[in-house]
Amino acid sequence: MTYNNLLDSMIAEAKRSKKQTEKQQKIIETAIQLFAEKGYANTSTNEIAKQAGVAEGLIFKHYGTKENVLRSVILPFFKSSLPGMAEEVFAEVLPAETTTFEEFLRAFLYNRIQFFSENKQILQVVMKEIIYNESLKKELLPYLANEIRYRFRKAIETFKTKQELKNIPTDDVVNILLSVLGGFIISRFVIVDVDRIHEYEVEQLIQFIMDGIRQNDH
Amino acid sequence: MTYNNLLDSMIAEAKRSKKQTEKQQKIIETAIQLFAEKGYANTSTNEIAKQAGVAEGLIFKHYGTKENVLRSVILPFFKSSLPGMAEEVFAEVLPAETTTFEEFLRAFLYNRIQFFSENKQILQVVMKEIIYNESLKKELLPYLANEIRYRFRKAIETFKTKQELKNIPTDDVVNILLSVLGGFIISRFVIVDVDRIHEYEVEQLIQFIMDGIRQNDH
Amino acid sequence: MTYNNLLDSMIAEAKRSKKQTEKQQKIIETAIQLFAEKGYANTSTNEIAKQAGVAEGLIFKHYGTKENVLRSVILPFFKSSLPGMAEEVFAEVLPAETTTFEEFLRAFLYNRIQFFSENKQILQVVMKEIIYNESLKKELLPYLANEIRYRFRKAIETFKTKQELKNIPTDDVVNILLSVLGGFIISRFVIVDVDRIHEYEVEQLIQFIMDGIRQNDH
Amino acid sequence: MTYNNLLDSMIAEAKRSKKQTEKQQKIIETAIQLFAEKGYANTSTNEIAKQAGVAEGLIFKHYGTKENVLRSVILPFFKSSLPGMAEEVFAEVLPAETTTFEEFLRAFLYNRIQFFSENKQILQVVMKEIIYNESLKKELLPYLANEIRYRFRKAIETFKTKQELKNIPTDDVVNILLSVLGGFIISRFVIVDVDRIHEYEVEQLIQFIMDGIRQNDH
DNA sequence: AATGAATGAGTTTTCATTCAT
DNA sequence: AATGAATGAAAACTCATTCAT
């Protein structure tokens, strides 16, 4: 990764490969699948080529390096995951005056779980590579965190005004929520590698987040 | 990984390398550091040998394969991490009749955070490899989860009897706790790669786990 | 090089590509530049295509192989360099009864230096490839040498008759002259890669060739 | 070539590979032969390995890159060619009060011709790569030229004092001599690729250098 | 126990060339 | 005439592993 700004490079990358040919698409699909299954480092370009039914050289004609293939896998995911990261949910749910924070949280969680279970493989690739790749970690993670943090902060503030939430500093609530929600999703989809998360579990999580585990009158 | 049972193989491995020579220790130290930094797949035995100041051949004299080196890195970690996983904390804390769940949770959290920050690199290696390595995932994860689950269940039941905790099914509480605590520790130490976790954060987490974020009278 | 007779093949080549399109010309121009800069072997057709602003396929549509591109670079150079190699100078200079050998040599040198500094890049390509390419060496070099040798021999004989030159065997004078003049031009234009050769240097060389370096009365 | 100073790098290289194994020596020998025959760019490491009877990997174990192999071929040549470049000849010949410049020139020429015909292949490699490789050209050539220039200048001055040589500026004589001698040797050994240079030719060259080709009384 | 030379299969990458459009 | 996607053979290089000393 020689680009200074990874996101810029990924966006540049995306523009470069505007009109994808059929084989190009097949390469990316196969790469996603194999990277998710065995990790980037354990997947050879030869393997990708064979499974995608193309000549190995074609991968390099289109993407230049193996690392660029990884980028071309990660970028569209980011482009599509980030916007949805909360924006639309916020837009949908927040306007209603009567919406409670619990309703908002529920809407957000189901929306993201839906998205990630549809893109589980790419999520796995991204997480695995973020863990391994110092530059990816350094650039994607803060970017990602900020995007979400910003939106969450707004929501929390709104509901704090409505006296729905405890008077904990907003940033702390956001941090806790990011840890808990992120931990929940990553542990399920990446570490344990489940196929789907059951409604029951989600509801339990929501209750937990809202009220904790202490017996109220204790 | 050709052993059917990884844990058995690791135990066998441990016996084999009982009395470690100085160079052997240097190899393992270096391997931990490099595996943590760059991942198992991206670390060559040549690199380990150079940095450890030994001949590459020696690694294979002692460990046979590179994968065995990984095992020899992971095993002692497991041997020492599992016992502490709750057992000792339980032993320490539970006897006192007056101990609250919050106190237990606090003791447990600080104990584990202490342990993991002292062994951050190995924790990173283990997590990274669990994510990548199907057989490791399949064998270590359930084993690990069961050990913890079993101990937590006992604690939860105890405190439920004392009416300290909500009447949620024990298994669900355990699940939630595992997700939240595991997610918290992994996101901090492995994903974000912090050097230490501040007391303030821990206390916030404990409050959150106990009481959630909802304004009580709402 | 599969042709037995390189020159024949080059002539065939020349006929084949009579009416050059604009893009064809751009290809050859770019090839000359890149071959001169980095050598034939280190220049890829992809590079030529990119820099010439054409599709890589077009190079092969027009020239069939990369080696044919090289030929198409070298041939016109030969076609234009050989005639001038002495012929015209001879024609110009020799007729005058009063012309001295020194004057002839001067005219020839300036003529050739002019030509080669105008075609430095191609000269470099040709020399580099002659050095590398056995078949080019075997065919072009003797051909070239003979052409020049033949013309020089005539001139030398003429001036020997006039008692202007020492009574060294004509072939030996020609050999020495070829070595010295060739060495001079090649070392300047190809090895050192100068942009131009100064008049002062040329005059010095002429003096040297004519009278050597020994103090006359010694 | 990423080193700033090529000579330093080549010397470092040489130290690194102090005690050469038999196979290492075989690799270098084969590399010299193949590089000389077909040029660096046209020789594959696979070819070198096969002809040297070693595994291809060994080349990279020892030399890291193909370019380093080239360096390891060129360096010892430089180390052994430079000192002899004139020093010893000067030491041998100059002391004698009665030595003439012609005798000095003769001694020098035969010494160098002897050396280069014994090392023709490496000379070819060096010259070919100097022509192709910008950084080699930029660093080796001036270094080489200076070494020789310096020694020649001293000799010329000595003989000028003795009134043996024409009163041409020393630097100009040196330049001409370098061109002529260099051109002679390179054209013979590298361009034409002769196996040996005959005494007759050398004597002719010496006469030419000393007295030129003009009929004295003309 | 320790070295380090050597191996060979595998990996990423390059590149001249072909071909459908 | 011109494009550019696609090929496949070969290139440079990596690396876990073996083995003689």
mmCIF file of all heavy atoms in Angstrom, chain D residues 78-92:
data_model
loop_
_atom_site.group_PDB
_atom_site.id
_atom_site.type_symbol
_atom_site.label_atom_id
_atom_site.label_comp_id
_atom_site.label_asym_id
_atom_site.label_seq_id
_atom_site.Cartn_x
_atom_site.Cartn_y
_atom_site.Cartn_z
ATOM 1 N N PHE D 78 36.295 -4.919 -11.547
ATOM 2 C CA PHE D 78 36.747 -3.559 -11.307
ATOM 3 C C PHE D 78 37.895 -3.528 -10.317
ATOM 4 O O PHE D 78 38.867 -2.820 -10.491
ATOM 5 C CB PHE D 78 35.588 -2.702 -10.783
ATOM 6 C CG PHE D 78 35.030 -1.835 -11.849
ATOM 7 C CD1 PHE D 78 34.325 -2.387 -12.893
ATOM 8 C CD2 PHE D 78 35.240 -0.481 -11.828
ATOM 9 C CE1 PHE D 78 33.829 -1.592 -13.896
ATOM 10 C CE2 PHE D 78 34.741 0.320 -12.825
ATOM 11 C CZ PHE D 78 34.038 -0.242 -13.871
ATOM 12 N N LYS D 79 37.741 -4.326 -9.285
ATOM 13 C CA LYS D 79 38.779 -4.346 -8.273
ATOM 14 C C LYS D 79 40.118 -4.767 -8.865
ATOM 15 O O LYS D 79 41.165 -4.278 -8.464
ATOM 16 C CB LYS D 79 38.396 -5.302 -7.129
ATOM 17 C CG LYS D 79 37.308 -4.750 -6.231
ATOM 18 C CD LYS D 79 37.479 -5.201 -4.782
ATOM 19 C CE LYS D 79 37.642 -6.719 -4.670
ATOM 20 N NZ LYS D 79 37.532 -7.187 -3.279
ATOM 21 N N SER D 80 40.070 -5.678 -9.834
ATOM 22 C CA SER D 80 41.336 -6.173 -10.366
ATOM 23 C C SER D 80 41.794 -5.404 -11.597
ATOM 24 O O SER D 80 42.970 -5.375 -11.916
ATOM 25 C CB SER D 80 41.221 -7.662 -10.696
ATOM 26 O OG SER D 80 40.198 -7.869 -11.634
ATOM 27 N N SER D 81 40.840 -4.763 -12.278
ATOM 28 C CA SER D 81 41.247 -4.072 -13.507
ATOM 29 C C SER D 81 41.776 -2.672 -13.210
ATOM 30 O O SER D 81 42.701 -2.191 -13.831
ATOM 31 C CB SER D 81 40.079 -3.991 -14.491
ATOM 32 O OG SER D 81 39.185 -2.971 -14.120
ATOM 33 N N LEU D 82 41.161 -2.036 -12.223
ATOM 34 C CA LEU D 82 41.546 -0.663 -11.960
ATOM 35 C C LEU D 82 43.005 -0.516 -11.527
ATOM 36 O O LEU D 82 43.738 0.289 -12.103
ATOM 37 C CB LEU D 82 40.622 -0.056 -10.906
ATOM 38 C CG LEU D 82 39.327 0.468 -11.472
ATOM 39 C CD1 LEU D 82 38.544 1.190 -10.411
ATOM 40 C CD2 LEU D 82 39.621 1.398 -12.649
ATOM 41 N N PRO D 83 43.410 -1.265 -10.526
ATOM 42 C CA PRO D 83 44.793 -1.080 -10.076
ATOM 43 C C PRO D 83 45.761 -1.235 -11.241
ATOM 44 O O PRO D 83 46.611 -0.376 -11.466
ATOM 45 C CB PRO D 83 44.986 -2.227 -9.078
ATOM 46 C CG PRO D 83 43.625 -2.623 -8.658
ATOM 47 C CD PRO D 83 42.730 -2.351 -9.833
ATOM 48 N N GLY D 84 45.574 -2.280 -11.996
ATOM 49 C CA GLY D 84 46.495 -2.532 -13.106
ATOM 50 C C GLY D 84 46.361 -1.532 -14.226
ATOM 51 O O GLY D 84 47.163 -1.490 -15.141
ATOM 52 N N MET D 85 45.295 -0.736 -14.146
ATOM 53 C CA MET D 85 44.938 0.126 -15.265
ATOM 54 C C MET D 85 46.129 0.918 -15.776
ATOM 55 O O MET D 85 46.135 1.428 -16.872
ATOM 56 C CB MET D 85 43.816 1.069 -14.848
ATOM 57 C CG MET D 85 42.750 1.318 -15.878
ATOM 58 S SD MET D 85 42.631 0.078 -17.184
ATOM 59 C CE MET D 85 40.903 0.190 -17.599
ATOM 60 N N ALA D 86 47.141 1.031 -15.036
ATOM 61 C CA ALA D 86 48.292 1.789 -15.498
ATOM 62 C C ALA D 86 49.382 1.782 -14.435
ATOM 63 O O ALA D 86 50.564 1.743 -14.729
ATOM 64 C CB ALA D 86 47.896 3.229 -15.811
ATOM 65 N N GLU D 87 48.890 1.792 -13.199
ATOM 66 C CA GLU D 87 49.798 1.916 -12.064
ATOM 67 C C GLU D 87 51.063 1.071 -12.241
ATOM 68 O O GLU D 87 52.185 1.578 -12.288
ATOM 69 C CB GLU D 87 49.060 1.516 -10.782
ATOM 70 C CG GLU D 87 49.731 2.021 -9.533
ATOM 71 C CD GLU D 87 49.428 3.499 -9.283
ATOM 72 O OE1 GLU D 87 49.400 4.298 -10.263
ATOM 73 O OE2 GLU D 87 49.238 3.859 -8.138
ATOM 74 N N GLU D 88 50.823 -0.231 -12.353
ATOM 75 C CA GLU D 88 51.982 -1.121 -12.392
ATOM 76 C C GLU D 88 52.849 -0.887 -13.621
ATOM 77 O O GLU D 88 54.078 -0.913 -13.553
ATOM 78 C CB GLU D 88 51.529 -2.584 -12.324
ATOM 79 C CG GLU D 88 50.516 -2.965 -13.395
ATOM 80 C CD GLU D 88 50.099 -4.433 -13.255
ATOM 81 O OE1 GLU D 88 49.283 -4.756 -12.361
ATOM 82 O OE2 GLU D 88 50.592 -5.243 -14.063
ATOM 83 N N VAL D 89 52.150 -0.641 -14.725
ATOM 84 C CA VAL D 89 52.916 -0.373 -15.934
ATOM 85 C C VAL D 89 53.754 0.884 -15.742
ATOM 86 O O VAL D 89 54.939 0.914 -16.065
ATOM 87 C CB VAL D 89 51.974 -0.162 -17.134
ATOM 88 C CG1 VAL D 89 52.776 -0.051 -18.408
ATOM 89 C CG2 VAL D 89 50.954 -1.273 -17.203
ATOM 90 N N PHE D 90 53.127 1.867 -15.171
ATOM 91 C CA PHE D 90 53.847 3.104 -14.940
ATOM 92 C C PHE D 90 55.040 2.839 -14.028
ATOM 93 O O PHE D 90 56.147 3.289 -14.272
ATOM 94 C CB PHE D 90 52.918 4.131 -14.276
ATOM 95 C CG PHE D 90 51.938 4.736 -15.223
ATOM 96 C CD1 PHE D 90 51.057 3.959 -15.970
ATOM 97 C CD2 PHE D 90 51.898 6.117 -15.406
ATOM 98 C CE1 PHE D 90 50.172 4.522 -16.845
ATOM 99 C CE2 PHE D 90 50.992 6.693 -16.289
ATOM 100 C CZ PHE D 90 50.128 5.887 -17.008
ATOM 101 N N ALA D 91 54.774 2.089 -12.991
ATOM 102 C CA ALA D 91 55.833 1.805 -12.027
ATOM 103 C C ALA D 91 56.985 1.065 -12.682
ATOM 104 O O ALA D 91 58.152 1.356 -12.457
ATOM 105 C CB ALA D 91 55.260 0.984 -10.874
ATOM 106 N N GLU D 92 56.625 0.123 -13.524
ATOM 107 C CA GLU D 92 57.638 -0.694 -14.208
ATOM 108 C C GLU D 92 58.475 0.122 -15.178
ATOM 109 O O GLU D 92 59.684 0.037 -15.229
ATOM 110 C CB GLU D 92 56.948 -1.784 -15.047
ATOM 111 C CG GLU D 92 56.872 -3.140 -14.403
ATOM 112 C CD GLU D 92 56.072 -4.072 -15.307
ATOM 113 O OE1 GLU D 92 56.290 -4.012 -16.545
ATOM 114 O OE2 GLU D 92 55.221 -4.813 -14.793
#
